[in-house]
Amino acid sequence: LDEHDEALQEERSPTWHARDVLLERCRRWSVPCTLVSPVPTVTAVWAARAQSGGAASSSLAGRWPIIDIIDRNDVEPWRRRQLSSPVIAALRDHSKRVLCVLNTPGRSRLLACRSCAALIRCIPCGATVAQRGDDSLHCVRCGAQRPAVCQSCSSTALANVRPGVSRLAEELTAAAARPVLSITAETDELPDGDVYVGTEAALHRVSGVDRVAFLDFDTELLAPRYRAGEQAMTLLMRAARMVGPRERGGRVLVETRLPDHPVLRAAVLADPARFISSELGTRRLLGLPPFAGLAKLTGSSVAEATSQLGATDRVQLAPDGDALLVRAADWETLADVLGGLPRSTTLRIAIDPPR
Ligand SMILES: [Zn+2]
Ligand SMILES: [Zn+2]
């Protein structure tokens, strides 16, 4: 149940995912396997198609809240962030309990074009890109590299997007005209109140709210991880469960510069399958799981592993900071090649890394 839940993947190496273990056991025993989720992962849908010819789906429409997409393209991305009027209206409505979700400070690294205000993205895969010392743009999701030029207008003047989290907290208090309680990973006891602000972890902590507002959803949508889209969909799902269906007034607000992103289109239509279909196509083209095997190597022995793995052409290597991404045509090849590395406590291997 809830196949999309990241808690089903073991955090310790070798990072088993309960779904994959279950699928393999069922295959060996020749018994049917049923995976249930309101927002199944691409892997689950692909497995269902491979084994039984398809995924059954029932409409979420009756159980889904209203998803308000608030297009923030009216504000230049490098200016100080301001709350949108729908969010301010939600905060001012004192009959409603509100949770505002913000990313962890420092995790968001977005670049924007100073000339046309587009967010700078990887051309093959659409993720956010990082600017390197030599001024090239680099994507850690798919490894693509290109000169630091806007993909929309070819301008070379790029600016950092300023999330301004601390100012935003002050602004929330001013807009709400009631106390705004912040929740962090260190918050033990949940303070009693009607307006909360916190990272996505708050979606597991708070209950009984009427509104969830995502204030920087683009950093989720464009996160440099190949599963960013389905993880973003999972966040919307959690928020949807929290506020309840539209008949009972449930409403989720999403501030974004990407109102036409497939995740948001699917969410508005209460139809996650729409997103999964487009995502399956993208993954196939880019050679990402489930159409390839992927592992992330970390630890102090990465350099040695890199030189050893460099000797075979059965895997592709892509450095990601201090880590190394290893990709093979399938899981068997990946396991075979990684199995040839010397066992070491200074090398951590995460198979199909969630983050
Ligand atoms: Zn531009
Ligand atoms: Zn990319």
Side-chain angles (χ1 to χ4, degrees):
L1 298 181
D2 271 353
E3 177 276 330
H4 63 274
D5 193 340
E6 277 188 12
L8 291 173
Q9 184 160 21
E10 173 64 62
E11 281 178 25
R12 288 166 301 178
S13 186
T15 64
W16 298 114
H17 195 295
R19 171 235 303 131
D20 299 334
V21 174
L22 194 66
L23 283 169
E24 180 60 16
R25 287 201 174 169
C26 290
R27 191 187 66 78
R28 291 186 189 185
W29 295 338
S30 302
V31 297
C33 178
T34 304
L35 304 170
V36 180
S37 169
V39 286
T41 61
V42 171
T43 308
V45 171
W46 182 74
R49 285 189 188 173
Q51 291 184 4
S52 60
S57 67
S58 59
S59 171
L60 287 176
R63 288 160 286 162
W64 199 250
I66 293 171
I67 309 272
D68 272 338
I69 304 297
I70 305 159
D71 185 342
R72 295 313 321 268
N73 281 302
D74 57 330
V75 192
E76 290 172 319
W78 51 88
R79 301 251 181 256
R80 188 170 67 77
R81 291 228 13 188
Q82 282 175 334
L83 293 170
S84 62
S85 27
V87 170
I88 293 173
L91 291 165
R92 293 224 169 119
D93 181 351
H94 287 207
S95 70
K96 299 281 187 287
R97 299 182 76 224
V98 186
L99 167 63
C100 296
V101 182
L102 269 172
N103 238 318
T104 316
R107 223 178 85 185
S108 35
R109 281 173 303 174
L110 286 180
L111 286 170
C113 170
R114 277 219 181 261
S115 155
C116 75
L119 293 178
I120 304 300
R121 301 169 66 178
C122 170
I123 292 170
C125 84
T128 175
V129 287
Q131 194 157 11
R132 289 232 164 130
D134 60 358
D135 257 14
S136 66
L137 298 176
H138 178 252
C139 172
V140 297
R141 191 193 285 175
C142 77
Q145 231 167 321
R146 71 167 208 264
V149 189
C150 169
Q151 73 278 0
S152 303
C153 76
S154 302
S155 163
T156 53
L158 309 183
N160 284 306
V161 175
R162 300 167 58 192
V165 170
S166 54
R167 280 299 291 271
L168 205 59
E170 288 167 33
E171 240 183 280
L172 285 171
T173 311
R178 48 181 169 160
V180 175
L181 305 160
S182 83
I183 305 168
T184 67
E186 287 77 45
T187 309
D188 293 330
E189 212 156 297
L190 204 61
D192 200 23
D194 291 323
V195 182
Y196 295 98
V197 59
T199 63
E200 60 177 73
L203 288 166
H204 295 284
R205 304 283 309 275
V206 183
S207 58
V209 298
D210 308 290
R211 300 278 180 271
V212 173
F214 289 97
L215 303 183
D216 58 355
F217 206 64
D218 296 345
T219 54
E220 297 295 340
L221 291 172
L222 302 185
R225 310 181 286 262
Y226 80 88
R227 283 204 292 234
E230 59 190 30
Q231 287 165 340
M233 188 60 99
T234 300
L235 290 182
L236 290 174
M237 176 63 217
R238 272 195 213 126
R241 279 186 177 161
M242 195 177 257
V243 300
R246 61 181 67 199
E247 283 75 36
R248 296 213 302 272
R251 193 179 275 265
V252 174
L253 300 96
V254 184
E255 293 194 343
T256 180
R257 293 175 182 283
L258 308 162
D260 297 321
H261 192 284
V263 166
L264 296 177
R265 301 289 308 150
V268 166
L269 297 167
D271 185 8
R274 264 177 87 99
F275 159 68
I276 294 163
S277 295
S278 83
E279 184 71 2
L280 266 169
T282 309
R283 298 256 188 105
R284 193 188 293 272
L285 284 172
L286 292 173
L288 289 168
F291 303 100
L294 189 71
K296 187 178 195 171
L297 273 48
T298 49
S300 55
S301 301
V302 165
E304 290 154 72
T306 306
S307 57
Q308 188 173 338
L309 293 172
T312 169
D313 56 3
R314 299 171 71 203
V315 290
Q316 292 167 286
L317 307 179
D320 173 11
D322 293 336
L324 178 72
L325 287 174
V326 184
R327 182 161 63 166
D330 52 61
W331 295 111
E332 287 74 15
T333 309
L334 184 73
D336 203 33
V337 172
L338 292 179
L341 289 174
R343 298 227 168 178
S344 160
T345 51
T346 52
L347 184 68
R348 180 176 188 273
I349 300 176
I351 300 293
D352 198 11
R355 297 270 160 183

